[in-house]
Short mmCIF file of all heavy atoms in Angstrom, two decimals:
data_model
loop_
_atom_site.label_atom_id
_atom_site.label_comp_id
_atom_site.label_asym_id
_atom_site.label_seq_id
_atom_site.Cartn_x
_atom_site.Cartn_y
_atom_site.Cartn_z
N MET P 1 -0.09 23.73 11.87
CA MET P 1 -0.48 22.63 11.04
C MET P 1 -0.26 21.29 11.71
O MET P 1 -0.84 20.32 11.33
CB MET P 1 0.27 22.66 9.72
CG MET P 1 -0.15 23.76 8.81
SD MET P 1 0.42 23.34 7.18
CE MET P 1 -0.10 24.78 6.32
N ILE P 2 0.62 21.27 12.72
CA ILE P 2 0.88 20.06 13.48
C ILE P 2 0.49 20.30 14.93
O ILE P 2 0.80 21.34 15.50
CB ILE P 2 2.36 19.65 13.39
CG1 ILE P 2 2.72 19.30 11.95
CG2 ILE P 2 2.66 18.48 14.31
CD1 ILE P 2 4.18 19.00 11.73
N VAL P 3 -0.19 19.32 15.50
CA VAL P 3 -0.62 19.41 16.89
C VAL P 3 0.22 18.40 17.68
O VAL P 3 0.34 17.24 17.29
CB VAL P 3 -2.12 19.07 17.03
CG1 VAL P 3 -2.55 19.08 18.47
CG2 VAL P 3 -2.96 20.02 16.19
N ARG P 4 0.79 18.85 18.78
CA ARG P 4 1.59 18.00 19.65
C ARG P 4 0.82 17.77 20.94
O ARG P 4 0.34 18.72 21.55
CB ARG P 4 2.92 18.66 19.99
CG ARG P 4 3.78 18.94 18.81
CD ARG P 4 4.97 19.78 19.23
NE ARG P 4 5.67 20.28 18.08
CZ ARG P 4 6.97 20.23 17.91
NH1 ARG P 4 7.73 19.73 18.85
NH2 ARG P 4 7.52 20.69 16.82
N THR P 5 0.73 16.51 21.33
CA THR P 5 0.09 16.19 22.60
C THR P 5 0.95 15.18 23.34
O THR P 5 1.56 14.30 22.72
CB THR P 5 -1.33 15.61 22.42
OG1 THR P 5 -1.26 14.44 21.61
CG2 THR P 5 -2.26 16.60 21.75
N VAL P 6 0.98 15.29 24.65
CA VAL P 6 1.71 14.33 25.46
C VAL P 6 0.95 13.01 25.41
O VAL P 6 -0.27 12.97 25.57
CB VAL P 6 1.84 14.84 26.92
CG1 VAL P 6 2.49 13.78 27.80
CG2 VAL P 6 2.62 16.14 26.96
N ASN P 7 1.69 11.93 25.20
CA ASN P 7 1.08 10.60 25.12
C ASN P 7 0.50 10.24 26.48
O ASN P 7 1.19 10.35 27.50
CB ASN P 7 2.13 9.59 24.68
CG ASN P 7 1.56 8.21 24.49
OD1 ASN P 7 1.23 7.53 25.45
ND2 ASN P 7 1.46 7.81 23.24
N GLU P 8 -0.74 9.81 26.49
CA GLU P 8 -1.43 9.48 27.75
C GLU P 8 -0.82 8.26 28.43
O GLU P 8 -0.77 8.19 29.66
CB GLU P 8 -2.91 9.20 27.47
CG GLU P 8 -3.66 10.38 26.89
CD GLU P 8 -4.24 11.28 27.94
OE1 GLU P 8 -4.51 10.79 29.05
OE2 GLU P 8 -4.43 12.47 27.65
N THR P 9 -0.33 7.30 27.65
CA THR P 9 0.22 6.07 28.19
C THR P 9 1.66 6.22 28.63
O THR P 9 2.06 5.72 29.67
CB THR P 9 0.14 4.94 27.14
OG1 THR P 9 -1.20 4.86 26.66
CG2 THR P 9 0.53 3.61 27.72
N ASP P 10 2.45 6.93 27.81
CA ASP P 10 3.86 7.11 28.09
C ASP P 10 4.16 8.60 28.05
O ASP P 10 4.38 9.17 27.00
CB ASP P 10 4.71 6.36 27.06
CG ASP P 10 6.20 6.43 27.36
OD1 ASP P 10 6.60 7.22 28.26
OD2 ASP P 10 6.96 5.70 26.71
N ARG P 11 4.15 9.24 29.19
CA ARG P 11 4.26 10.70 29.26
C ARG P 11 5.63 11.22 28.82
O ARG P 11 5.84 12.41 28.70
CB ARG P 11 3.92 11.16 30.67
CG ARG P 11 2.56 10.60 31.06
CD ARG P 11 1.63 11.35 31.89
NE ARG P 11 1.53 12.75 31.96
CZ ARG P 11 0.66 13.49 31.28
NH1 ARG P 11 -0.10 12.93 30.38
NH2 ARG P 11 0.56 14.76 31.49
N ARG P 12 6.57 10.31 28.55
CA ARG P 12 7.88 10.73 28.05
C ARG P 12 7.83 11.05 26.56
O ARG P 12 8.75 11.66 26.03
CB ARG P 12 8.92 9.62 28.27
CG ARG P 12 9.17 9.29 29.73
CD ARG P 12 10.02 8.06 29.86
NE ARG P 12 9.29 6.92 29.29
CZ ARG P 12 9.78 5.71 29.13
NH1 ARG P 12 11.01 5.44 29.50
NH2 ARG P 12 9.05 4.74 28.62
N THR P 13 6.78 10.62 25.89
CA THR P 13 6.69 10.81 24.44
C THR P 13 5.63 11.83 24.08
O THR P 13 4.71 12.11 24.87
CB THR P 13 6.38 9.48 23.71
OG1 THR P 13 5.10 9.02 24.13
CG2 THR P 13 7.42 8.42 24.01
N VAL P 14 5.77 12.36 22.89
CA VAL P 14 4.81 13.34 22.37
C VAL P 14 4.23 12.78 21.08
O VAL P 14 4.96 12.30 20.21
CB VAL P 14 5.51 14.69 22.09
CG1 VAL P 14 4.56 15.68 21.44
CG2 VAL P 14 6.07 15.28 23.38
N ASP P 15 2.92 12.79 20.97
CA ASP P 15 2.25 12.36 19.74
C ASP P 15 2.04 13.56 18.84
O ASP P 15 1.71 14.66 19.31
CB ASP P 15 0.90 11.71 20.07
CG ASP P 15 1.04 10.44 20.88
OD1 ASP P 15 2.03 9.72 20.68
OD2 ASP P 15 0.14 10.16 21.70
N LEU P 16 2.24 13.35 17.54
CA LEU P 16 2.05 14.42 16.56
C LEU P 16 0.87 14.08 15.66
O LEU P 16 0.74 12.95 15.21
CB LEU P 16 3.32 14.58 15.70
CG LEU P 16 4.61 14.89 16.44
CD1 LEU P 16 5.77 14.91 15.47
CD2 LEU P 16 4.50 16.22 17.16
N PHE P 17 0.04 15.07 15.41
CA PHE P 17 -1.12 14.91 14.55
C PHE P 17 -1.22 16.13 13.64
O PHE P 17 -0.77 17.22 13.99
CB PHE P 17 -2.42 14.83 15.38
CG PHE P 17 -2.44 13.70 16.36
CD1 PHE P 17 -2.06 13.90 17.67
CD2 PHE P 17 -2.85 12.44 15.96
CE1 PHE P 17 -2.08 12.86 18.59
CE2 PHE P 17 -2.87 11.40 16.87
CZ PHE P 17 -2.49 11.61 18.19
N LEU P 18 -1.83 15.94 12.49
CA LEU P 18 -2.11 17.08 11.63
C LEU P 18 -3.34 17.80 12.15
O LEU P 18 -4.33 17.17 12.53
CB LEU P 18 -2.39 16.63 10.19
CG LEU P 18 -1.20 16.13 9.37
CD1 LEU P 18 -1.67 15.63 8.01
CD2 LEU P 18 -0.17 17.23 9.20
N SER P 19 -3.27 19.12 12.17
CA SER P 19 -4.45 19.90 12.51
C SER P 19 -5.39 19.85 11.31
O SER P 19 -5.05 19.32 10.25
CB SER P 19 -4.05 21.36 12.77
OG SER P 19 -3.57 21.95 11.57
N GLU P 20 -6.57 20.38 11.45
CA GLU P 20 -7.51 20.44 10.33
C GLU P 20 -6.89 21.19 9.16
O GLU P 20 -6.99 20.76 8.01
CB GLU P 20 -8.83 21.11 10.76
CG GLU P 20 -9.90 21.14 9.68
CD GLU P 20 -10.36 19.75 9.25
OE1 GLU P 20 -10.23 18.79 10.03
OE2 GLU P 20 -10.86 19.63 8.11
N GLU P 21 -6.20 22.28 9.45
CA GLU P 21 -5.51 23.05 8.41
C GLU P 21 -4.41 22.21 7.76
O GLU P 21 -4.25 22.21 6.54
CB GLU P 21 -4.91 24.32 9.02
CG GLU P 21 -4.13 25.17 8.04
CD GLU P 21 -3.44 26.36 8.72
OE1 GLU P 21 -3.54 26.51 9.95
OE2 GLU P 21 -2.79 27.11 8.00
N GLY P 22 -3.67 21.46 8.56
CA GLY P 22 -2.61 20.59 8.04
C GLY P 22 -3.17 19.48 7.18
O GLY P 22 -2.60 19.13 6.15
N ARG P 23 -4.29 18.89 7.60
CA ARG P 23 -4.93 17.83 6.83
C ARG P 23 -5.37 18.34 5.47
O ARG P 23 -5.16 17.71 4.44
CB ARG P 23 -6.12 17.25 7.59
CG ARG P 23 -6.74 16.03 6.93
CD ARG P 23 -8.04 15.62 7.59
NE ARG P 23 -9.05 16.68 7.57
CZ ARG P 23 -9.75 17.05 6.50
NH1 ARG P 23 -9.54 16.47 5.35
NH2 ARG P 23 -10.64 18.00 6.58
N LYS P 24 -5.97 19.54 5.46
CA LYS P 24 -6.42 20.13 4.19
C LYS P 24 -5.23 20.43 3.28
O LYS P 24 -5.29 20.20 2.07
CB LYS P 24 -7.21 21.41 4.45
CG LYS P 24 -8.59 21.15 5.02
CD LYS P 24 -9.33 22.45 5.31
CE LYS P 24 -10.68 22.18 5.93
NZ LYS P 24 -11.39 23.41 6.28
N ALA P 25 -4.13 20.94 3.85
CA ALA P 25 -2.93 21.23 3.06
C ALA P 25 -2.35 19.94 2.48
O ALA P 25 -1.92 19.92 1.32
CB ALA P 25 -1.89 21.95 3.91
N ALA P 26 -2.34 18.87 3.27
CA ALA P 26 -1.82 17.58 2.80
C ALA P 26 -2.69 17.03 1.68
O ALA P 26 -2.18 16.50 0.68
CB ALA P 26 -1.74 16.59 3.96
N GLU P 27 -4.01 17.15 1.81
CA GLU P 27 -4.92 16.69 0.76
C GLU P 27 -4.73 17.49 -0.52
O GLU P 27 -4.72 16.93 -1.61
CB GLU P 27 -6.37 16.77 1.23
CG GLU P 27 -6.73 15.72 2.26
CD GLU P 27 -8.15 15.88 2.79
OE1 GLU P 27 -8.85 16.85 2.42
OE2 GLU P 27 -8.55 15.02 3.60
N GLN P 28 -4.55 18.80 -0.39
CA GLN P 28 -4.33 19.66 -1.55
C GLN P 28 -3.02 19.29 -2.25
O GLN P 28 -2.96 19.19 -3.47
CB GLN P 28 -4.30 21.14 -1.13
CG GLN P 28 -4.04 22.10 -2.26
CD GLN P 28 -5.18 22.17 -3.26
OE1 GLN P 28 -6.34 21.96 -2.91
NE2 GLN P 28 -4.85 22.44 -4.50
N ALA P 29 -1.98 19.06 -1.47
CA ALA P 29 -0.67 18.68 -2.04
C ALA P 29 -0.78 17.34 -2.77
O ALA P 29 -0.23 17.19 -3.87
CB ALA P 29 0.38 18.60 -0.94
N ALA P 30 -1.50 16.39 -2.21
CA ALA P 30 -1.68 15.09 -2.84
C ALA P 30 -2.44 15.23 -4.15
O ALA P 30 -2.09 14.60 -5.16
CB ALA P 30 -2.40 14.12 -1.91
N SER P 31 -3.46 16.06 -4.15
CA SER P 31 -4.25 16.30 -5.36
C SER P 31 -3.40 16.94 -6.46
O SER P 31 -3.45 16.53 -7.63
CB SER P 31 -5.45 17.19 -5.03
OG SER P 31 -6.18 17.49 -6.18
N GLU P 32 -2.60 17.92 -6.08
CA GLU P 32 -1.73 18.60 -7.05
C GLU P 32 -0.68 17.63 -7.59
O GLU P 32 -0.37 17.65 -8.79
CB GLU P 32 -1.07 19.81 -6.41
CG GLU P 32 -2.04 20.94 -6.14
CD GLU P 32 -1.44 22.07 -5.32
OE1 GLU P 32 -0.22 22.03 -5.02
OE2 GLU P 32 -2.20 23.00 -4.97
N ARG P 33 -0.13 16.78 -6.73
CA ARG P 33 0.86 15.79 -7.16
C ARG P 33 0.24 14.81 -8.14
O ARG P 33 0.84 14.48 -9.17
CB ARG P 33 1.43 15.05 -5.95
CG ARG P 33 2.53 14.06 -6.29
CD ARG P 33 3.16 13.42 -5.06
NE ARG P 33 2.19 12.81 -4.17
CZ ARG P 33 1.87 13.26 -2.96
NH1 ARG P 33 2.44 14.33 -2.46
NH2 ARG P 33 0.97 12.63 -2.22
N GLU P 34 -0.98 14.38 -7.88
CA GLU P 34 -1.67 13.46 -8.78
C GLU P 34 -1.89 14.10 -10.16
O GLU P 34 -1.69 13.46 -11.19
CB GLU P 34 -3.01 13.03 -8.17
CG GLU P 34 -3.73 11.99 -8.99
CD GLU P 34 -5.02 11.51 -8.33
OE1 GLU P 34 -5.11 11.58 -7.09
OE2 GLU P 34 -5.91 11.08 -9.06
N GLU P 35 -2.28 15.36 -10.18
CA GLU P 35 -2.47 16.07 -11.46
C GLU P 35 -1.16 16.19 -12.23
O GLU P 35 -1.13 16.01 -13.44
CB GLU P 35 -3.07 17.45 -11.22
CG GLU P 35 -4.56 17.44 -10.97
CD GLU P 35 -5.34 16.79 -12.10
OE1 GLU P 35 -5.11 17.15 -13.29
OE2 GLU P 35 -6.15 15.89 -11.81
N ARG P 36 -0.07 16.51 -11.53
CA ARG P 36 1.24 16.60 -12.19
C ARG P 36 1.63 15.26 -12.80
O ARG P 36 2.15 15.20 -13.90
CB ARG P 36 2.32 17.05 -11.20
CG ARG P 36 2.35 18.54 -10.96
CD ARG P 36 3.60 18.99 -10.23
NE ARG P 36 3.92 18.22 -9.04
CZ ARG P 36 3.43 18.45 -7.82
NH1 ARG P 36 2.59 19.46 -7.64
NH2 ARG P 36 3.77 17.70 -6.80
N HIS P 37 1.38 14.17 -12.08
CA HIS P 37 1.71 12.84 -12.59
C HIS P 37 0.88 12.52 -13.83
O HIS P 37 1.41 11.97 -14.80
CB HIS P 37 1.49 11.79 -11.52
CG HIS P 37 2.52 11.84 -10.44
ND1 HIS P 37 2.45 11.07 -9.31
CD2 HIS P 37 3.65 12.58 -10.29
CE1 HIS P 37 3.49 11.31 -8.52
NE2 HIS P 37 4.22 12.24 -9.09
N LYS P 38 -0.39 12.87 -13.82
CA LYS P 38 -1.24 12.64 -14.99
C LYS P 38 -0.69 13.38 -16.20
O LYS P 38 -0.60 12.84 -17.29
CB LYS P 38 -2.68 13.07 -14.72
CG LYS P 38 -3.45 12.13 -13.86
CD LYS P 38 -4.87 12.64 -13.63
CE LYS P 38 -5.63 11.79 -12.65
NZ LYS P 38 -6.97 12.34 -12.38
N GLU P 39 -0.32 14.65 -15.99
CA GLU P 39 0.23 15.45 -17.07
C GLU P 39 1.56 14.88 -17.55
O GLU P 39 1.82 14.78 -18.75
CB GLU P 39 0.44 16.89 -16.61
CG GLU P 39 -0.84 17.67 -16.40
CD GLU P 39 -0.60 19.06 -15.82
OE1 GLU P 39 0.53 19.58 -15.95
OE2 GLU P 39 -1.54 19.61 -15.23
N MET P 40 2.43 14.50 -16.61
CA MET P 40 3.77 14.03 -16.94
C MET P 40 3.72 12.76 -17.79
O MET P 40 4.50 12.60 -18.72
CB MET P 40 4.53 13.76 -15.64
CG MET P 40 5.97 13.39 -15.84
SD MET P 40 6.97 13.12 -14.33
CE MET P 40 5.91 13.44 -12.97
N PHE P 41 2.80 11.86 -17.48
CA PHE P 41 2.75 10.57 -18.16
C PHE P 41 1.70 10.50 -19.26
O PHE P 41 1.50 9.45 -19.87
CB PHE P 41 2.53 9.45 -17.14
CG PHE P 41 3.67 9.32 -16.17
CD1 PHE P 41 3.53 9.71 -14.86
CD2 PHE P 41 4.91 8.84 -16.59
CE1 PHE P 41 4.59 9.62 -13.96
CE2 PHE P 41 5.97 8.74 -15.71
CZ PHE P 41 5.82 9.13 -14.39
N SER P 42 1.06 11.62 -19.56
CA SER P 42 0.01 11.63 -20.58
C SER P 42 0.54 11.32 -21.97
O SER P 42 -0.22 10.90 -22.84
CB SER P 42 -0.73 12.97 -20.57
OG SER P 42 0.15 14.00 -20.99
N CYS P 43 1.84 11.50 -22.20
CA CYS P 43 2.42 11.23 -23.51
C CYS P 43 2.67 9.74 -23.73
O CYS P 43 3.01 9.32 -24.85
CB CYS P 43 3.72 12.01 -23.70
SG CYS P 43 5.01 11.54 -22.54
N LEU P 44 2.51 8.92 -22.71
CA LEU P 44 2.73 7.48 -22.82
C LEU P 44 1.43 6.73 -23.04
O LEU P 44 0.41 7.08 -22.46
CB LEU P 44 3.40 6.94 -21.55
CG LEU P 44 4.77 7.51 -21.18
CD1 LEU P 44 5.23 6.93 -19.84
CD2 LEU P 44 5.78 7.27 -22.26
N SER P 45 1.50 5.68 -23.84
CA SER P 45 0.34 4.81 -24.03
C SER P 45 0.18 3.95 -22.77
O SER P 45 1.10 3.88 -21.92
CB SER P 45 0.54 3.90 -25.25
OG SER P 45 1.57 2.96 -24.98
N ASP P 46 -0.94 3.28 -22.65
CA ASP P 46 -1.16 2.40 -21.49
C ASP P 46 -0.10 1.31 -21.44
O ASP P 46 0.41 0.97 -20.37
CB ASP P 46 -2.56 1.78 -21.53
CG ASP P 46 -3.65 2.79 -21.20
OD1 ASP P 46 -3.33 3.85 -20.64
OD2 ASP P 46 -4.82 2.50 -21.50
N GLU P 47 0.27 0.77 -22.60
CA GLU P 47 1.29 -0.27 -22.66
C GLU P 47 2.65 0.27 -22.23
O GLU P 47 3.40 -0.39 -21.50
CB GLU P 47 1.38 -0.87 -24.07
CG GLU P 47 2.29 -2.07 -24.17
CD GLU P 47 1.83 -3.24 -23.31
OE1 GLU P 47 0.62 -3.44 -23.12
OE2 GLU P 47 2.73 -3.95 -22.81
N GLU P 48 2.98 1.48 -22.65
CA GLU P 48 4.25 2.10 -22.25
C GLU P 48 4.28 2.37 -20.74
O GLU P 48 5.31 2.17 -20.08
CB GLU P 48 4.47 3.40 -23.02
CG GLU P 48 4.79 3.18 -24.49
CD GLU P 48 4.76 4.46 -25.30
OE1 GLU P 48 3.94 5.36 -25.00
OE2 GLU P 48 5.55 4.55 -26.27
N LYS P 49 3.15 2.80 -20.19
CA LYS P 49 3.07 3.02 -18.74
C LYS P 49 3.28 1.71 -17.98
O LYS P 49 3.97 1.67 -16.96
CB LYS P 49 1.72 3.63 -18.36
CG LYS P 49 1.55 5.06 -18.80
CD LYS P 49 0.15 5.55 -18.50
CE LYS P 49 -0.13 6.87 -19.18
NZ LYS P 49 -1.53 7.29 -19.05
N LYS P 50 2.70 0.64 -18.49
CA LYS P 50 2.84 -0.67 -17.86
C LYS P 50 4.31 -1.12 -17.91
O LYS P 50 4.85 -1.61 -16.91
CB LYS P 50 1.94 -1.68 -18.58
CG LYS P 50 1.86 -3.01 -17.93
CD LYS P 50 0.84 -3.88 -18.67
CE LYS P 50 0.73 -5.24 -18.06
NZ LYS P 50 -0.24 -6.07 -18.76
N THR P 51 4.96 -0.94 -19.05
CA THR P 51 6.36 -1.31 -19.19
C THR P 51 7.23 -0.48 -18.26
O THR P 51 8.12 -1.01 -17.57
CB THR P 51 6.83 -1.12 -20.65
OG1 THR P 51 6.04 -1.95 -21.50
CG2 THR P 51 8.30 -1.44 -20.82
N LEU P 52 6.99 0.82 -18.20
CA LEU P 52 7.75 1.70 -17.32
C LEU P 52 7.59 1.28 -15.86
O LEU P 52 8.57 1.19 -15.11
CB LEU P 52 7.31 3.16 -17.50
CG LEU P 52 7.95 4.18 -16.58
CD1 LEU P 52 9.47 4.21 -16.77
CD2 LEU P 52 7.36 5.56 -16.82
N THR P 53 6.37 0.99 -15.46
CA THR P 53 6.12 0.55 -14.09
C THR P 53 6.88 -0.72 -13.77
O THR P 53 7.51 -0.85 -12.71
CB THR P 53 4.61 0.35 -13.86
OG1 THR P 53 3.94 1.59 -14.07
CG2 THR P 53 4.31 -0.16 -12.46
N THR P 54 6.84 -1.68 -14.68
CA THR P 54 7.54 -2.95 -14.49
C THR P 54 9.05 -2.72 -14.33
O THR P 54 9.68 -3.27 -13.43
CB THR P 54 7.28 -3.89 -15.68
OG1 THR P 54 5.87 -4.15 -15.77
CG2 THR P 54 8.02 -5.21 -15.52
N LEU P 55 9.61 -1.87 -15.19
CA LEU P 55 11.05 -1.59 -15.12
C LEU P 55 11.42 -0.87 -13.82
O LEU P 55 12.43 -1.19 -13.18
CB LEU P 55 11.49 -0.78 -16.33
CG LEU P 55 11.42 -1.52 -17.67
CD1 LEU P 55 11.66 -0.55 -18.82
CD2 LEU P 55 12.40 -2.67 -17.71
N LEU P 56 10.61 0.11 -13.43
CA LEU P 56 10.89 0.84 -12.19
C LEU P 56 10.77 -0.06 -10.97
O LEU P 56 11.55 0.05 -10.02
CB LEU P 56 9.97 2.06 -12.06
CG LEU P 56 10.25 3.18 -13.06
CD1 LEU P 56 9.16 4.24 -12.96
CD2 LEU P 56 11.62 3.78 -12.86
N GLU P 57 9.81 -0.97 -10.99
CA GLU P 57 9.67 -1.92 -9.88
C GLU P 57 10.89 -2.83 -9.80
O GLU P 57 11.36 -3.16 -8.71
CB GLU P 57 8.39 -2.73 -10.02
CG GLU P 57 7.14 -1.93 -9.71
CD GLU P 57 5.84 -2.65 -10.04
OE1 GLU P 57 5.87 -3.69 -10.74
OE2 GLU P 57 4.79 -2.16 -9.61
N LYS P 58 11.42 -3.24 -10.95
CA LYS P 58 12.60 -4.08 -10.97
C LYS P 58 13.81 -3.32 -10.40
O LYS P 58 14.58 -3.87 -9.61
CB LYS P 58 12.89 -4.55 -12.40
CG LYS P 58 14.01 -5.55 -12.48
CD LYS P 58 14.13 -6.15 -13.86
CE LYS P 58 15.17 -7.24 -13.87
NZ LYS P 58 15.23 -7.93 -15.16
N ILE P 59 13.97 -2.08 -10.81
CA ILE P 59 15.06 -1.25 -10.29
C ILE P 59 14.91 -1.09 -8.78
O ILE P 59 15.87 -1.25 -8.02
CB ILE P 59 15.11 0.12 -10.98
CG1 ILE P 59 15.56 -0.04 -12.44
CG2 ILE P 59 16.02 1.08 -10.22
CD1 ILE P 59 15.39 1.21 -13.28
N ASN P 60 13.70 -0.79 -8.33
CA ASN P 60 13.44 -0.60 -6.90
C ASN P 60 13.76 -1.87 -6.11
O ASN P 60 14.36 -1.80 -5.04
CB ASN P 60 11.99 -0.17 -6.68
CG ASN P 60 11.72 0.20 -5.24
OD1 ASN P 60 12.43 1.00 -4.66
ND2 ASN P 60 10.70 -0.41 -4.66
N ALA P 61 13.37 -3.02 -6.65
CA ALA P 61 13.62 -4.28 -5.95
C ALA P 61 15.11 -4.59 -5.86
O ALA P 61 15.56 -5.23 -4.91
CB ALA P 61 12.90 -5.42 -6.67
N SER P 62 15.88 -4.12 -6.84
CA SER P 62 17.31 -4.41 -6.83
C SER P 62 18.12 -3.39 -6.05
O SER P 62 19.30 -3.59 -5.80
CB SER P 62 17.84 -4.49 -8.27
OG SER P 62 17.87 -3.21 -8.86
N TRP P 63 17.50 -2.30 -5.68
CA TRP P 63 18.21 -1.25 -4.92
C TRP P 63 18.53 -1.79 -3.54
O TRP P 63 17.67 -2.36 -2.87
CB TRP P 63 17.30 -0.02 -4.81
CG TRP P 63 18.05 1.22 -4.50
CD1 TRP P 63 18.29 1.73 -3.26
CD2 TRP P 63 18.65 2.11 -5.43
NE1 TRP P 63 19.01 2.90 -3.38
CE2 TRP P 63 19.25 3.16 -4.69
CE3 TRP P 63 18.75 2.13 -6.82
CZ2 TRP P 63 19.93 4.20 -5.29
CZ3 TRP P 63 19.42 3.18 -7.41
CH2 TRP P 63 20.00 4.20 -6.65
N PRO P 64 19.76 -1.63 -3.10
CA PRO P 64 20.12 -2.19 -1.78
C PRO P 64 19.27 -1.61 -0.66
O PRO P 64 19.04 -0.41 -0.58
CB PRO P 64 21.57 -1.77 -1.61
CG PRO P 64 22.07 -1.47 -2.97
CD PRO P 64 20.87 -0.98 -3.74
N ALA P 65 18.81 -2.50 0.20
CA ALA P 65 18.07 -2.09 1.39
C ALA P 65 19.07 -1.56 2.41
O ALA P 65 20.28 -1.66 2.22
CB ALA P 65 17.29 -3.28 1.95
N ALA P 66 18.58 -1.03 3.49
CA ALA P 66 19.44 -0.49 4.54
C ALA P 66 20.40 -1.56 5.08
O ALA P 66 21.51 -1.25 5.49
CB ALA P 66 18.59 0.07 5.68
N ASP P 67 19.96 -2.82 5.03
CA ASP P 67 20.83 -3.90 5.51
C ASP P 67 21.74 -4.47 4.43
O ASP P 67 22.44 -5.46 4.65
CB ASP P 67 20.00 -5.02 6.14
CG ASP P 67 19.09 -5.71 5.14
OD1 ASP P 67 19.11 -5.37 3.94
OD2 ASP P 67 18.36 -6.63 5.56
N GLY P 68 21.70 -3.86 3.20
CA GLY P 68 22.59 -4.29 2.13
C GLY P 68 22.04 -5.39 1.26
O GLY P 68 22.66 -5.77 0.28
N THR P 69 20.85 -5.91 1.59
CA THR P 69 20.27 -6.97 0.77
C THR P 69 19.52 -6.40 -0.42
O THR P 69 19.11 -5.24 -0.41
CB THR P 69 19.30 -7.84 1.60
OG1 THR P 69 18.22 -7.00 2.06
CG2 THR P 69 19.99 -8.49 2.78
N THR P 70 19.33 -7.21 -1.46
CA THR P 70 18.55 -6.82 -2.63
C THR P 70 17.61 -7.96 -3.00
O THR P 70 17.76 -9.08 -2.54
CB THR P 70 19.44 -6.51 -3.86
OG1 THR P 70 20.14 -7.70 -4.22
CG2 THR P 70 20.42 -5.40 -3.57
N ASN P 71 16.64 -7.64 -3.84
CA ASN P 71 15.68 -8.64 -4.32
C ASN P 71 15.75 -8.77 -5.83
O ASN P 71 14.74 -8.97 -6.48
CB ASN P 71 14.25 -8.27 -3.91
CG ASN P 71 14.06 -8.34 -2.42
OD1 ASN P 71 14.57 -9.25 -1.78
ND2 ASN P 71 13.32 -7.41 -1.85
N CYS P 72 16.89 -8.60 -6.42
CA CYS P 72 17.03 -8.62 -7.87
C CYS P 72 16.77 -10.03 -8.41
O CYS P 72 17.34 -10.99 -7.91
CB CYS P 72 18.42 -8.16 -8.29
SG CYS P 72 18.54 -7.81 -10.05
N THR P 73 15.89 -10.10 -9.40
CA THR P 73 15.59 -11.39 -10.02
C THR P 73 15.95 -11.38 -11.47
O THR P 73 16.01 -10.39 -12.11
CB THR P 73 14.10 -11.75 -9.88
OG1 THR P 73 13.32 -10.69 -10.46
CG2 THR P 73 13.73 -11.96 -8.44
#
């Protein structure tokens, strides 16, 4: 599912790519994840989804970054 090739410019490194089979598997996984999300949030109204998104974005912004900083407002 993953193809490894030696980098043409820097032969010390290896580039990784998805094979056709890997790309199809990734697309299938993304599609299944999207369907699960639709099902999971189907019990919420559009307004509730908007409120949830706003709250989650606020939590995410306040979560400490790797350098210890936050964006809490």
